[in-house]
Amino acid sequence: MKVYKAIQNILLILAGFFIVSVLVLFFIFNIRPVIVVSGSMEPEITTGSMAFIDGDLKEPDIGDIIAYRTGKNTVTHRVIEEKGEGYITKGDANYVADPAIVSPGRVEGIVVCAIPRAGKFISYIRTPVGVIIILSAFICYIMVGQIVKRRG
């Protein structure tokens, strides 16, 4: 019973810390995550990473990795040159620069960090199988709690 309570308290503290951290990052510091789906920035940012974009930083220097919109997609590439009308960008793993100039209005922010494989995990738990696994784990957690409560 004591072990279960200790585990329960640790999980609640971790969940609370996670929720507060996310709220602080998103709403106070204007940092948002994007999942990197291609290898164009490898080895700096690997496929399946979660990159964090600072939405308050919209005036990059040459060498900064920026996030910008192209239709419904967000692209994370490095600024290699600045022109009067915008930025020339290129993925580190690409041989040539991106064909279009990124206007300052399309820049969503500068990448401040990336967590390898975190995007793959988030993408997986968004699938039907991932949702079933998360729900099953939650139900098992509740069942174990009830069993411990009745035996204790």
Side-chain angles (χ1 to χ4, degrees), residues 5 24 27 31 49 72 85 101 115 120 134 151:
K5 280 287 190 191
V24 166
F27 296 110
I31 293 177
S49 293
K72 292 183 179 181
E85 62 271 15
I101 293 176
I115 301 173
K120 285 184 181 180
I134 296 295
R151 287 188 179 180

Side-chain angles (χ1 to χ4, degrees), residues 55 57-60 66-70 84-87 101-109:
L57 301 176
K58 296 195 178 195
E59 296 179 9
I66 63 170
Y68 64 92
R69 294 298 257 168
T70 59
E85 62 271 15
Y87 306 99
I101 293 176
V102 179
S103 65
R106 289 180 36 214
V107 175
E108 293 195 351

